[in-house]
Amino acid sequence: MGRAIGIDLGTTYCAVAAVTAVGKAEVLMNREGERITPSVVMFQDGITQVGTLAKRIAPTAPDDVVQFVKRQMGEASWKFQTSHGPSFSAEQVSAIILKRLAEDAELMLGEPIDAAVITVPAYFDDARRQATRDAGNIAGLNVVGIINEPTAAALSFGLDTGFEGRALVFDLGGGTFDVTVMSIHGGEFAVEATEGDRNLGGFNWDNELMSLLNKKAMEAGAPDLFDDDLATAELRDKAETAKRTLSNVAESRIVITAGGQHHTLTVTRDEFERATAHLLRRTETITEMAMEQAGRTWADIDKILLVGGSTRMPMVWDLVETLSGQAPDRTINADEAVALGAAVHAQLLLNNSAPGASALPVIGHHGHTPRVLDVCSQGLGVIILDEDIGAEINSVIISHNTRIPAQQERTYFTVSDNQDSIRLRITEGDDTDVDYVKIIHQHPLEIPRYPAGAPLRVVMSFDVDGIVHVEVFDETQTPTASLGEVELDRPSNLSRDEVDAKVTELNLMDIN
Ligand code: AMP
């Protein structure tokens, strides 16, 4: 029988879940008996330690401990340099975490894992999604899919409660922020719009609180804590704890040891909220953008789901309640819903790929087999010369928030007589300014010589696996003739061989 797991690979914490024999997803504990595992890796004395122990060591050994690596996913130039020599890419560090999570899951399930789905913020672009997939492959997992975190949370909520209607998922995690508007009917989970910021999360609130505490410490006579790595790491740890405390009480106290002296610092929720008001405002703007993209007003929203640990901050539910005029649903488990939904998705994909008597059923509240319909989170287009302004612009062909699989086309015109080639440059992003989009592929294409103004039709498609297909047609001829086509798998930082080599490297590591 095939077992599938869902992994919420968070910036600060991870959770793993699997569908049980009764068709319900459940969180799997790690070897330490915890339901969530800190996304922290320590490299010390030849030992690689993942999770709580590594997180505890972080304040005293910042050079040997790596955390918040999700913020670096897909950044080809980023490396974590260990103090004793080897360095690791974001994919490798994530693979180490994933490997440990999978080993623990196998321990709990008592059988090998055949398939995994890993979650990503809805706003992750293709390179970051591919980096996540690569990390899974390096960890030796069979990654059957990637699912957006808010979609996974809504899937879990919908199946558990039988909710039908339109939901807004407000997902503020440790490092990323996503808002998704989704309609749930008859087992169909259809994303209407998604917006986000992949660099906005609890981490940013921690940074502001660190600055506030540092200022207070300096006023009390301490040296600047940011001048010392160890003091900064200690401050980060204490600020995060103080932040959590402020979610429950109006005032928090921390003790900082610096310059040979102890300083007791007090911070109030009010001060914290003022110092982070600009971050909250950013979530407000993004939420309004998502509503606009979905073409909905607050009256259309039946349920607001808060996901991600940072939604425990009272300022967040106050904001959401003020904006929407309704109290958010707080029954959803902010730490676990994403992994639970991913487990459901993983089992569904596994069942579809190997249908048989042994497949574990996934049972929804109304007896429907759930179906997920997603949108693309980034626009896709081509760079063209805009003759009116005499400059190159990005022309979006499939705009973001289009339901996938998607196919759209646009017709462009040649700019000079006897032009014999075009440079097809495929972009990802929604801006018309070429500086604000990413060129994901370039391809020269020969065209027949015509007078200027010859029409060329560009047909672009995007499937659920993220494969982009582009074909250019010569519209001057009848019937129209194809001038060429390209199929882009997700752009990856690593080749197949590099992934294989890293699998071997990881197998040689002793991960605890
Ligand atoms: P996630 O990535 O969804 O696990 O979110 C983790 C983030 O939530 C981290 O930045 C935590 O500091 C934050 N967090 C967890 N619990 C609380 C709390 N009670 N109050 C404020 N932030 C919290």
Side-chain angles (χ1 to χ4, degrees):
M1 183 171 70
R3 290 312 295 261
I5 56 169
I7 305 177
D8 172 6
L9 180 64
T11 310
T12 47
Y13 291 92
C14 300
V16 184
V19 172
T20 65
V22 293
K24 248 182 87 75
E26 272 182 15
V27 166
L28 303 174
M29 284 189 286
N30 67 16
R31 69 186 71 168
E32 274 128 8
E34 303 159 323
R35 296 172 75 83
I36 54 175
T37 304
S39 317
V40 186
V41 184
M42 182 208 71
F43 302 95
Q44 223 172 40
D45 307 324
I47 295 172
T48 309
Q49 187 85 46
V50 176
T52 298
L53 221 64
K55 184 172 163 67
R56 276 208 207 114
I57 294 164
T60 54
D63 293 346
D64 296 327
V65 176
V66 56
Q67 44 184 338
F68 314 116
V69 73
K70 190 173 179 176
R71 293 170 89 92
Q72 317 297 340
M73 283 301 255
E75 305 287 341
S77 57
W78 185 88
K79 287 257 187 264
F80 176 72
Q81 181 63 53
T82 57
S83 54
H84 57 284
S87 62
F88 297 92
S89 66
E91 287 92 332
Q92 279 174 295
V93 175
S94 299
I96 291 169
I97 298 171
L98 288 169
K99 187 155 193 214
R100 155 76 197 259
L101 295 173
E103 279 173 9
D104 286 3
E106 287 193 339
L107 215 64
M108 287 304 290
L109 291 170
E111 54 188 323
I113 293 159
D114 297 300
V117 162
I118 308 175
T119 67
V120 292
Y123 218 61
F124 254 23
D125 64 13
D126 273 352
R128 291 180 176 82
R129 284 168 198 266
Q130 182 57 41
T132 305
R133 232 174 231 277
D134 286 344
N137 292 333
I138 294 171
L141 290 167
N142 171 27
V143 184
V144 289
I146 296 283
I147 185 172
N148 292 339
E149 284 152 15
T151 310
L155 189 56
S156 157
F157 178 80
L159 291 182
D160 256 11
T161 62
F163 167 79
E164 299 240 321
R166 186 170 290 106
L168 178 127
V169 188
F170 186 103
D171 180 359
L172 188 63
T176 55
F177 175 59
D178 274 328
V179 188
T180 298
V181 180
M182 182 178 285
S183 88
I184 305 173
H185 284 289
E188 197 170 86
F189 292 75
V191 176
E192 293 184 342
T194 185
E195 286 290 340
D197 183 337
R198 58 180 179 76
N199 275 322
L200 184 63
F203 181 79
N204 303 81
W205 268 260
D206 295 345
N207 289 346
E208 295 301 335
L209 189 54
M210 285 167 75
S211 297
L212 185 65
L213 290 168
N214 185 47
K215 201 166 131 247
K216 284 178 181 257
M218 284 170 75
E219 278 163 12
D224 189 340
L225 301 170
F226 289 118
D227 285 346
D228 175 354
D229 283 353
L230 212 60
T232 307
E234 190 192 348
L235 182 62
R236 174 165 300 286
D237 199 49
K238 295 203 163 151
E240 204 241 355
T241 310
K243 175 186 75 172
R244 287 171 185 252
T245 312
L246 289 175
S247 292
N248 297 318
V249 294
E251 193 175 286
S252 174
R253 201 166 295 162
I254 68 157
V255 179
I256 287 282
T257 309
Q261 279 194 314
H262 301 302
H263 300 276
T264 303
L265 309 171
T266 307
V267 58
T268 66
R269 186 189 289 169
D270 197 42
E271 286 174 305
F272 175 53
E273 291 186 351
R274 264 183 283 134
T276 55
H278 61 292
L279 299 174
L280 196 67
R281 237 178 346 261
R282 177 115 186 87
T283 67
E284 180 180 343
T285 311
I286 293 169
T287 305
E288 280 168 347
M289 275 158 60
M291 291 289 289
E292 199 185 307
Q293 282 278 325
R296 303 289 171 195
T297 66
W298 287 107
D300 300 322
I301 305 292
D302 306 305
K303 183 74 75 187
I304 296 172
L305 304 177
L306 296 183
V307 184
S310 300
T311 58
R312 294 208 179 89
M313 294 188 289
M315 66 176 103
V316 171
W317 16 289
D318 283 350
L319 170 79
V320 174
E321 191 160 347
T322 310
L323 276 179
S324 67
Q326 62 172 290
D329 191 303
R330 303 191 47 218
T331 57
I332 195 163
N333 184 326
D335 297 322
E336 299 181 354
V338 171
L340 293 170
V344 168
H345 192 54
Q347 194 64 51
L348 288 172
L349 290 175
L350 188 64
N351 292 354
N352 286 345
S353 70
S358 64
L360 280 179
V362 177
I363 301 162
H365 219 264
H366 299 296
H368 303 291
T369 301
R371 205 158 78 91
V372 176
L373 299 174
D374 223 326
V375 296
C376 53
S377 63
Q378 311 274 332
L380 287 166
V382 290
I383 292 181
I384 57 157
L385 181 71
D386 184 331
E387 284 190 284
D388 292 339
I389 57 170
E392 287 189 330
I393 59 160
N394 176 45
S395 170
V396 175
I397 298 179
I398 298 179
S399 52
H400 90 288
N401 284 326
T402 303
R403 169 73 32 83
I404 49 176
Q407 178 167 319
Q408 306 271 343
E409 57 182 56
R410 280 186 83 156
T411 300
Y412 303 99
F413 301 91
T414 56
V415 286
S416 46
D417 289 336
N418 294 320
Q419 185 176 336
D420 60 2
S421 69
I422 55 166
R423 199 148 54 100
L424 189 62
R425 281 166 296 170
I426 301 165
T427 61
E428 186 181 70
D430 296 278
D431 215 290
T432 45
D433 189 333
V434 293
D435 290 339
Y436 291 99
V437 297
K438 191 160 145 188
I439 295 177
I440 53 171
H441 187 77
Q442 302 208 37
H443 189 74
L445 214 60
E446 277 180 27
I447 58 171
R449 290 167 186 269
Y450 293 124
L456 298 172
R457 183 161 53 96
V458 180
V459 180
M460 196 172 241
S461 65
F462 186 73
D463 73 10
V464 283
D465 290 321
I467 295 166
V468 179
H469 186 272
V470 184
E471 188 160 9
V472 182
F473 292 91
D474 176 357
E475 293 285 294
T476 307
Q477 293 182 41
T478 24
T480 60
S482 172
L483 293 172
E485 59 188 313
V486 273
E487 184 163 288
L488 306 181
D489 211 335
R490 294 168 184 276
S492 175
N493 287 327
L494 300 173
S495 68
R496 188 64 246 172
D497 286 351
E498 282 171 319
V499 170
D500 289 345
K502 293 198 172 6
V503 173
T504 315
E505 257 174 55
L506 209 67
N507 283 338
L508 297 172
M509 272 170 85
D510 186 13
I511 301 174
N512 291 284

